Amino acid sequence: MLPRVPEIYERASSAAWITPEGVFEPLGSDSIHDDLVRYLLKGRQLPEADKFYPSRGAVNMGFAKVSNPCTISIDKIRNNDPRLKTMAGFAAEAIIAFDKSETAPDWLKTSYRHQSPLNWPVTIYTHNGIDEMARHVDELIFGYGSKETQALVKAHFKMNESVIRKLLKRMLTG
């Protein structure tokens, strides 16, 4: 797990980018996604169609746009996607931070304050709309996260194997 600035967990709409290789690039406190696109591309040119929409162009080039620990935009989901592995780690860090502090950010408080952070909804936007592979934080973590990320969440939330089996069954049966 990479140490994060706690404020990044609370951002509702502009948290970070994840490179196609899975490197987490957090945004500054006063930045938006478009501010970091030129740095991410490292000299590569955006397609002409995306010239006025740099964030869309970056997503089309394989970068993942992270709005918050529960929302990501990617071009498509790939096998063993390093972007989703990194996103699962980010989501795990965030829910543990929220659980320890017992305060969720404002954008989550009103709707989900009485739910376990593991049950918070996750949205994965792809070119085909909203992907249904992970509908909740626990499904993101246990469907895409590294073994270390999964072990951290299991230990923090004191999850035993029967809880994990129920979760996997829920994921497989929809």
Side-chain angles (χ1 to χ4, degrees), residues 118 138-139 141-143 149-151 153-155 157-172:
L118 289 167
D138 57 1
E139 293 173 347
I141 292 167
F142 292 102
T149 296
Q150 293 175 18
V153 171
K154 284 180 192 177
F157 289 96
K158 296 172 180 56
M159 298 173 79
N160 60 33
E161 290 307 310
S162 68
V163 172
I164 301 300
R165 276 195 286 280
K166 286 179 188 173
L167 165 67
L168 291 174
K169 185 177 179 182
R170 184 177 82 193
M171 286 173 64
L172 294 173

Side-chain angles (χ1 to χ4, degrees), residues 2-3 7 12 30 51 57 60 62 68 72 79 91 93 100-101 113 126 130 133-134 157 167 171:
L2 300 173
E7 296 83 42
D30 57 351
K51 185 177 175 182
N60 289 340
N68 58 59
I72 184 172
N79 252 354
E93 292 170 355
K100 284 181 179 176
S101 70
R113 69 175 174 262
T126 65
I130 296 176
M133 294 297 288
F157 289 96
L167 165 67
M171 286 173 64

Side-chain angles (χ1 to χ4, degrees), residues 47-85:
E48 190 62 33
D50 294 325
K51 185 177 175 182
F52 297 106
Y53 305 100
S55 288
R56 181 179 69 190
V59 169
N60 289 340
M61 294 173 80
F63 293 86
K65 180 179 171 182
V66 179
S67 298
N68 58 59
C70 298
T71 308
I72 184 172
S73 299
I74 59 178
D75 54 345
K76 63 182 178 181
I77 295 177
R78 299 176 174 95
N79 252 354
N80 299 315
D81 199 321
R83 300 167 303 169
L84 290 177
K85 183 177 181 181

Side-chain angles (χ1 to χ4, degrees), residues 98-155:
F98 296 150
D99 194 55
K100 284 181 179 176
S101 70
E102 297 182 2
T103 59
D106 290 340
W107 57 271
L108 277 171
K109 277 183 190 172
T110 54
S111 300
Y112 307 110
R113 69 175 174 262
H114 299 296
Q115 288 184 7
S116 162
L118 289 167
N119 293 326
W120 288 348
V122 167
T123 306
I124 301 174
Y125 293 104
T126 65
H127 284 312
N128 298 327
I130 296 176
D131 191 276
E132 294 294 326
M133 294 297 288
R135 293 176 301 272
H136 298 95
V137 171
D138 57 1
E139 293 173 347
L140 175 67
I141 292 167
F142 292 102
Y144 297 103
S146 68
K147 291 190 185 317
E148 296 82 13
T149 296
Q150 293 175 18
L152 183 70
V153 171
K154 284 180 192 177

